[in-house]
Amino acid sequence: MVRLGGTAISAARVADGTGPARSREHFLAGAPVEACVRTCISNSWQRCRALGLSPDQSSPPFRADFERDPRIVRAAVPVLDRLQTWFAGSKMNISVADASGTVLLRRFGEASLARSLPAFQREPGFVFAEQYAGTNGIGLALAERQLIHVYGAEHFAERSQGNACRALPVRDPVSGRIEGVLCLGYPRSAEDPALATVLRKAARAIERRLLAQSSERERALLRAYLGTRAETAAAPHHSVGVGDLALGLHPHDRAILMEKAAELISCAQLAAVRVPLSDGRCVTLVSHPMSATGVEGFAIEAILPGPSPHEPLIAPRSAEEPLSLAAEAAASAVPPPKAAPRAAAPRLVPGRADTTGEDAAGGGPGGTARGHPGSTPQARGLVLVGEPHVGRYALAARRRLELLTDASTRIGTTLDVRRTAQELADTAVPRLADYVTIDLPEAVLRGEEAADPLTNLCRTVVHGIRDDCPFHPVGKSVDYGPTTPQLRCLTSGRAVLEPDLKTAAGWLAHDPEHTKALLAHVHSLIAVPLVARSVVLGVAAFYRGRDSAPFGDDDRSLAHDLATRAALSIDNARRYTRERTMVLALQRSLLPQGQPDQDAVEVAHRYLPAESDVGGDWYDVVPLSGTRVGLLVGDVVGHGMLSAATMGRLRTAARSFAELDFPPDEVLTHLDNLVGRLDRENPATGEPGIIGATCLYAVYDPTTQLCTMARAGHPPPALVRPDGTVTFPDLPAGAPLGLGGLPFEAAEIDLPEGSGLVLYTDGLIEDRDRDVDLVLDRLRGALAHPERTPEEICEAVLDTVAPAHPRDDIALLVARTRALDTHRIATWDLPADPSLVSEVRAAALRQLADWGLEEASFAMELVLSELVTNAIRHGAGPIGVRLLRDRTLICEVSDTSNTAPHLRRAATTDEGGRGLFLVAQLAQSWGTRYIRQGKVIWAEWELDGAAGRRRD
C-alpha cells in the first residue's frame, strides 16, 4: 500500500493501468486528470508539458564541472554512511543533490546495485531539476520546497515508472537557504511509510552538521583575532572577552551594541561607529577584517573609557570550551550605568578604524591615551566575531521580526476591505518586496464569501517603489491559468515561490506578451493565498525588481506570515462590510420612501450613515387632518442591527400616534411608554437597553401658521424667518424616551409663510473634535439664505456643517412653510340650535358652488347635517363649522364637549345610530381630534385634479 495525500492506494492500481497510471495517460492525451492524482503531481506534470519535456527522454543532463566538496557534502558523508549501513542488503539508492538539483553523492544498500543501474542513477553529476528531468523526487522537492513522495506512474519520465522515491530539502540552519536535497530511491515493491521518518531524521542530522561547520568557522575567526591582538597590542592584557563587555552594560545599551556590531559585520568593510551609552559615556565599535584557514570574516572590537581587567583571553578549541576571563574583573571593567532613554543612531565612518578608535578612546592599541602617558588605560574588548553573511542573516532576521511587529499595528486600522489590502502592500514595500499586487473576488469587496475564489478576481491593489511597472490596473478583472503561481497557491493553500521568473514556465506561458513586459522590471515572485477562517479571500503577489536579490525560503515564510495576518484583518473588514450593508439596507428600508402628498410645507431630507457603523437616526413627514403636517426626527442610541430595528419600531409607532391626531406632547408620552415596555420585554442578555432614544415632533397648521413642538432629550430645531434670521427656540427639553414618569411640554410658535424649520439629529453638531457653539454658528450661517430651496439647504448643511468623517448618523429634515389661502377657508359659528342646521347647510352649498365643487355638494350636505345635528344633540355649544379646500375637500364640525363619537352598526329595530355609519360611507375618510376646548369631527373627500387646482 502507498498513501497519497492520506488516501491509501494499492500498488496494483498503479501497475495495472488504473489510478495514477491511467490519469497520466489521460493527461498525456490532453484529457483532464482524475481526482486521485495529488495537486503537486498534477501541477508538476503541467509544468513539464509547458517546458516542452518528453516523457520518453533518455536521461537527465550531466555536469562535469560540479563542485565535489561543498559544505553539504562534508556534512552529509557521515550521515549517508550510516544510512548505507542501515539499508545494507536492500535495493535502496541514497543520494544527495545540491540546490540546483545536481547529484553530488550516491550510496547503495546493496553493492551490486551500482553495477546494474544506468549511469544517471549511480554516478554523481546528473541534474535532476524538474525543468530537465521532469517530475521526480529531487526536482519536485526543490520546486515544492518540502517533503516529497513520488510513486511509480507519478514520475513524468517513462524510465522511472518502476521506481518510487522520497526526497526532502536540506537547509542551512543559519541562513535558512536550501543547501541541497536528500533522496531515497527504491523499487515500487519496497514502499514503506516509515521511510518518511527515516528521511526526516537523516536530513536533520545533516543540518546539525552544517551548523557545526558554521560554529567551527566562527571559532577560527576568534583564534585569528586573538592571535592578531597578541602580536600588535602594546598592552595585551587590557582587554575583555567575547560578550563580557556587553554583559557589564545596561540591558538597553547591550542591545544597541550587539545590533550595531551585527550591522558592522554585515557591511563587510573596515569601519567604525560611535555609540553613546545611557550613562553619558561613548563607546566606539571598530570592525577588523580577520582571516583564518578558509574563512574570511570580521571581528568587532569596542573601545570605551575606564579601567580594564588584566587577564589574557584564550581562544577555545572546541564549541564546549568556555572563554577564560575572571568574572569579577569583567564586572569592574564597566561600572553599572544609570538608566536613560535610547541614544541616537551612530554614524558609520568607513575606512578609518584605527584613527577613529584612537580619537574616540584617546589611545592606541595598548589603550594609553595619546599625548597623555600617565592617563588611565582604556578598555578594549571583543564584542562579536563572524562572517559578513552571518551578520547579514542575523540582521535580516531582526528586520523580519520588526516587519511582522509593524504589520500588527499598520494592517487593519480600518474596517474597509480595500484600505486593509492597501495597508498590506504599504507594509511590504520596500522592506520585503519592490512591488505588490492584491487580487480579491468581487464578492469579498461587497462583504460576501466568494462562491468560487479561483475566478472572478479583481485587481484591488497595485503598489511599488515605482509607478511605471506594467501591472494590470486597479479595477480590472484578472484571470490566471492553472499553472500560474497565483492559481497554484490558491489551489494548494500554500505560498508559492518562483525565485527566477525567467524559468517559471507556467507564469511565462499564461500571458506571454504581458509577462515579457513585466520581466523588464521584476525577476522574482512569491504568490500567497489570503485565507482566514477557512475562507479564501484572494491572492497577494510579491515581486522583486531586477536590482534586488531573488526571494528565498525565508522570504516566502515571511510573506506567508504577513499575508496570514493581513487576511484576518481583511476578513474582519469583509464581515463588517457585510453586516454594515445589511444594517444600512434595513435602515434605509425603514426610512420614508419618497414624500407624502401635502401642501403645508415644502420638504427635503437627508440621511447620512456614520463612517464606522450604522445607527438608529430617523425622520418622517406625516400628513394630518385639517391640511396640517407632522414633522418627526428621532435618534436611537447605539449602532448596529438592534438600533436599526428599534428605530423602525419607534418610527412606526410615532407615525401611528401622530395619525391618531394626538398633540405632540401626548405623542412623546406614548413613545416614552413604548420604549420602557420594549426595555422590559428585552431578554436578560446582559446588553444595555435602548433607553436614551430621543425625539422631536412638530405639527404645523397652514390655516393658522402656528407650529406646535415638543421634544424628548433632542436638540432644538433651527427656525429661519423669511428675512433670513436664524434662531434656535428654547423649547422645554424633556427627558429621553424610556425613563418614564416625566411629563413632556409643548410650545407653540408662529411661523409666517416662507419660514424654514430645520430638524436634525445630534450627529450633525456633536463631535469630539469640534466645539458645539462653533458648529451652531456655522449652521446658522448655512441657513441664513432664505432664497435657497430646501434641497439646496440640505446640500449646504451637509457640505459645511457635517463632520468630514461622521462618527454618528445624521438625519436632516428641512421644511419651508406655506399658508393656506384664506379664500380656500370658509367658517361659520352658530349656537346649539337645531333650527340653524338648514341655514349653515345652505351657506355651505353656496360656498361649494363658488369653489366650483358642485359635484361634491350632495355627499357634503348629508355629512354636514349629520355632524352638526350630532354636535347639537350630544355635544355642547357653541358649534363651529369649517370647510377647507386643498388637495381634498374637508368638512369640520367642532364643539366644546370631549365626548367621543363611536361608529356602530344599528339593528333593524333601532331608531338611531346610523348617522356616523352614513358619514363613513359617504366620505373618503373621517375622524376625531381633540383640541383644548373640546373636539373636532372631520370628514374628507378626494377632488379630481382640475377641481383641486381651480382658483377663485
Side-chain angles (χ1 to χ4, degrees):
M1 299 290 287
V2 58
R3 293 192 174 272
L4 299 178
T7 303
I9 301 176
S10 66
R13 290 185 59 191
V14 180
D16 64 2
T18 61
R22 181 179 180 183
S23 297
R24 181 175 173 276
E25 293 175 2
H26 287 182
F27 171 78
L28 295 176
V33 299
E34 296 180 358
C36 65
V37 178
R38 291 172 292 157
T39 302
C40 64
I41 300 296
S42 175
N43 290 340
S44 178
W45 288 353
Q46 300 212 27
R47 291 195 296 270
C48 292
R49 167 169 285 176
L51 290 166
L53 299 180
S54 172
D56 56 357
Q57 61 188 26
S58 57
S59 61
F62 178 78
R63 286 182 53 194
D65 58 344
F66 69 94
E67 185 180 0
R68 298 181 179 273
D69 190 29
R71 293 180 63 226
I72 190 169
V73 168
R74 297 194 298 271
V77 166
V79 178
L80 263 64
D81 290 342
R82 290 197 297 271
L83 286 175
Q84 185 178 22
T85 302
W86 180 271
F87 290 111
S90 69
K91 299 290 186 180
M92 188 64 65
N93 183 343
I94 310 164
S95 59
V96 170
D98 63 13
S100 66
T102 303
V103 175
L104 306 176
L105 291 174
R106 288 283 192 185
R107 294 288 191 276
F108 303 96
E110 185 177 313
S112 61
L113 185 63
R115 295 189 294 270
S116 63
L117 293 176
F120 73 90
Q121 289 185 338
R122 54 184 170 84
E123 297 293 336
F126 285 92
V127 182
F128 283 83
E130 189 182 64
Q131 60 264 35
Y132 305 115
T135 306
N136 68 91
I138 294 175
L140 195 53
L142 289 173
E144 296 290 331
R145 311 178 89 83
Q146 61 178 335
L147 176 64
I148 287 298
H149 175 213
V150 183
Y151 188 92
E154 291 181 333
H155 290 88
F156 187 76
E158 296 283 355
R159 62 176 183 271
S160 302
Q161 299 297 295
N163 300 325
C165 63
R166 293 179 184 267
L168 180 65
V170 178
R171 288 178 166 82
D172 184 340
V174 176
S175 67
R177 295 180 307 182
I178 291 180
E179 291 288 330
V181 177
L182 175 62
C183 180
L184 301 179
Y186 44 90
R188 281 199 321 235
S189 58
E191 175 61 45
D192 189 343
L195 291 175
T197 303
V198 175
L199 189 65
R200 287 193 180 95
K201 291 182 178 180
R204 298 294 86 80
I206 297 174
E207 290 175 352
R208 286 194 299 270
R209 292 185 59 81
L210 286 172
L211 181 61
Q213 289 181 21
S214 298
S215 300
E216 178 60 34
R217 294 164 73 89
E218 291 181 358
R219 289 196 297 272
L221 286 177
L222 177 58
R223 286 193 293 268
Y225 166 78
L226 294 176
T228 303
R229 292 288 292 118
E231 295 174 359
T232 61
H237 298 295
H238 295 171
S239 62
V240 293
V242 177
D244 290 326
L245 174 68
L247 290 174
L249 298 176
H250 187 275
H252 198 63
D253 293 334
R254 181 167 65 248
I256 294 176
L257 280 180
M258 299 304 291
E259 177 181 349
K260 296 305 174 185
E263 290 182 0
L264 281 176
I265 291 178
S266 64
C267 289
Q269 60 179 334
L270 185 69
V273 292
R274 294 170 58 88
V275 183
L277 300 180
S278 58
D279 62 352
R281 294 180 298 163
C282 188
V283 174
T284 300
L285 294 180
V286 183
S287 173
H288 296 285
M290 293 289 113
S291 178
T293 304
V295 185
E296 298 291 336
F298 285 80
I300 308 302
E301 187 179 44
I303 306 173
L304 75 165
S308 61
H310 301 284
E311 181 176 341
L313 181 65
I314 302 175
R317 296 188 178 277
S318 65
E320 293 78 14
E321 183 181 349
L323 293 170
S324 172
L325 186 65
E328 60 275 9
S332 64
V334 183
K338 299 178 182 179
R342 181 178 181 134
R347 181 172 59 91
L348 183 66
V349 186
R352 298 181 57 196
D354 296 336
T355 303
T356 306
E358 293 175 3
D359 292 344
T368 303
R370 172 173 291 186
H372 301 279
S375 60
T376 303
Q378 308 300 308
R380 301 174 66 91
L382 183 66
V383 177
L384 193 64
V385 295
E387 298 174 81
H389 72 274
V390 176
R392 193 177 303 117
Y393 294 142
L395 192 61
R398 188 182 69 251
R399 288 173 177 169
R400 288 187 177 97
L401 291 177
E402 292 174 351
L403 178 59
L404 292 177
T405 301
D406 290 348
S408 63
T409 59
R410 295 182 60 183
I411 300 176
T413 59
T414 66
L415 288 172
D416 180 82
V417 174
R418 287 183 173 86
R419 178 57 190 163
T420 304
Q422 183 65 50
E423 289 170 345
L424 168 60
D426 293 341
T427 304
V429 175
R431 299 165 69 179
L432 173 61
D434 295 330
Y435 302 93
V436 174
T437 64
I438 300 177
D439 305 319
L440 303 177
E442 290 285 354
V444 173
L445 296 175
R446 296 192 302 266
E448 305 168 2
E449 291 187 12
D452 185 4
L454 306 184
T455 60
N456 198 25
L457 290 171
C458 176
R459 180 58 48 86
T460 306
V461 172
V462 176
H463 183 58
I465 56 176
R466 298 174 59 182
D467 297 331
D468 58 349
C469 198
F471 292 106
H472 292 305
V474 173
K476 181 178 180 180
S477 296
V478 291
D479 183 24
Y480 294 111
T483 61
T484 57
Q486 288 86 345
L487 202 63
R488 285 162 51 200
C489 80
L490 286 174
T491 304
S492 64
R494 298 192 303 269
V496 173
L497 169 62
E498 292 288 358
D500 188 0
L501 287 176
K502 294 191 297 296
T503 62
W507 185 78
L508 292 169
H510 171 61
D511 188 350
E513 182 177 352
H514 181 61
T515 53
K516 182 179 179 181
L518 282 178
L519 280 177
H521 299 79
V522 299
H523 72 102
S524 191
L525 164 67
I526 299 176
V528 188
L530 298 173
V531 183
R533 304 181 183 95
S534 300
V535 177
V536 179
L537 303 172
V539 60
F542 301 86
Y543 295 88
R544 277 189 178 168
R546 299 183 60 84
D547 298 332
S548 302
F551 285 119
D553 282 312
D554 287 345
D555 298 313
R556 181 180 65 168
S557 300
L558 178 59
H560 180 269
D561 291 343
L562 196 62
T564 300
R565 298 188 183 200
L568 287 174
S569 297
I570 292 175
D571 190 51
N572 290 337
R574 179 191 66 82
R575 290 166 175 254
Y576 167 76
T577 300
R578 179 183 60 183
E579 181 177 347
R580 186 176 188 274
T581 302
M582 294 171 57
V583 175
L584 186 58
L586 174 62
Q587 172 87 346
R588 293 193 182 280
S589 68
L590 295 175
L591 290 175
Q593 307 299 315
Q595 297 184 9
D597 295 333
Q598 53 83 31
D599 290 329
V601 291
E602 181 185 358
V603 178
H605 46 73
R606 294 289 188 276
Y607 171 74
L608 183 65
E611 190 175 68
S612 60
D613 210 341
V614 179
D617 291 14
W618 54 281
Y619 58 88
D620 206 351
V621 179
V622 186
L624 302 175
S625 63
T627 69
R628 299 171 306 138
V629 65
L631 304 175
L632 280 158
V633 169
D635 183 7
V636 177
V637 297
H639 299 85
M641 189 73 71
L642 178 60
S643 296
T646 303
M647 177 276 294
R649 300 171 74 176
L650 288 186
R651 175 182 170 254
T652 302
R655 187 179 185 92
S656 300
F657 295 144
E659 289 178 341
L660 290 175
D661 275 325
F662 291 141
D665 52 342
E666 291 189 21
V667 168
L668 295 183
T669 300
H670 288 295
L671 288 177
D672 182 57
N673 295 333
L674 174 63
V675 173
R677 185 166 61 254
L678 292 177
D679 277 339
R680 291 191 297 271
E681 294 174 355
N682 190 38
T685 59
E687 298 181 357
I690 59 174
I691 294 178
T694 65
C695 184
L696 172 63
Y697 180 36
V699 176
Y700 173 70
D701 189 346
T703 63
T704 62
Q705 301 177 32
L706 292 177
C707 183
T708 305
M709 292 181 283
R711 64 187 179 121
H714 202 82
L719 300 182
V720 184
R721 299 293 177 177
D723 60 357
T725 304
V726 181
T727 60
F728 298 93
D730 187 15
L731 299 178
L737 300 175
L739 296 183
L742 299 176
F744 298 97
E745 299 181 44
E748 195 171 73
I749 299 176
D750 179 57
L751 289 182
E753 183 176 13
S755 299
L757 182 62
V758 181
L759 286 69
Y760 51 88
T761 55
D762 56 2
L764 178 66
I765 61 173
E766 294 181 5
D767 188 86
R768 68 184 66 175
D769 300 327
R770 304 190 302 170
D771 183 81
V772 175
D773 293 334
L774 296 179
V775 175
L776 291 178
D777 290 340
R778 191 179 301 175
L779 177 60
R780 185 179 288 107
L783 298 178
H785 297 277
E787 73 281 359
R788 291 176 176 172
T789 64
E791 288 288 343
E792 294 172 343
I793 292 176
C794 284
E795 293 296 331
V797 169
L798 292 183
D799 290 341
T800 61
V801 182
H805 304 283
R807 295 184 175 93
D808 194 7
D809 291 18
I810 297 175
L812 179 64
L813 182 62
V814 178
R816 175 158 295 165
T817 63
R818 297 168 177 165
L820 189 62
D821 194 335
T822 55
H823 294 91
R824 293 170 169 261
I825 306 173
T827 60
W828 299 272
D829 294 322
L830 63 153
D833 185 354
S835 62
L836 300 178
V837 174
S838 58
E839 295 182 10
V840 71
R841 185 169 60 236
L845 291 175
R846 288 193 297 270
Q847 184 63 59
L848 291 181
D850 293 341
W851 285 342
L853 301 177
E854 293 86 350
E855 67 277 7
S857 59
F858 175 75
M860 191 279 300
E861 180 182 11
L862 293 178
V863 170
L864 178 62
S865 298
E866 180 61 31
L867 295 181
V868 173
T869 303
N870 283 344
I872 294 174
R873 293 181 59 186
H874 305 290
I879 297 171
V881 176
R882 186 170 71 164
L883 295 180
L884 302 175
R885 176 185 164 219
D886 189 39
R887 291 176 178 264
T888 60
L889 174 64
I890 303 172
C891 174
E892 298 180 342
V893 177
S894 61
D895 61 65
T896 58
S897 171
N898 290 325
T899 304
H902 297 285
L903 177 65
R904 64 187 181 89
R905 184 178 295 276
T908 55
T909 57
D910 292 341
E911 296 183 0
R914 298 177 178 83
L916 288 180
F917 179 77
L918 292 176
V919 171
Q921 296 298 312
L922 293 174
Q924 180 183 354
S925 60
W926 73 280
T928 303
R929 71 172 181 269
Y930 292 91
I931 56 178
R932 293 180 180 178
Q933 296 82 22
K935 66 177 182 296
V936 175
I937 304 177
W938 55 271
E940 186 176 278
W941 294 267
E942 281 285 352
L943 301 177
D944 58 52
R949 292 190 299 268
R950 189 179 302 160
R951 296 282 182 178
D952 293 340

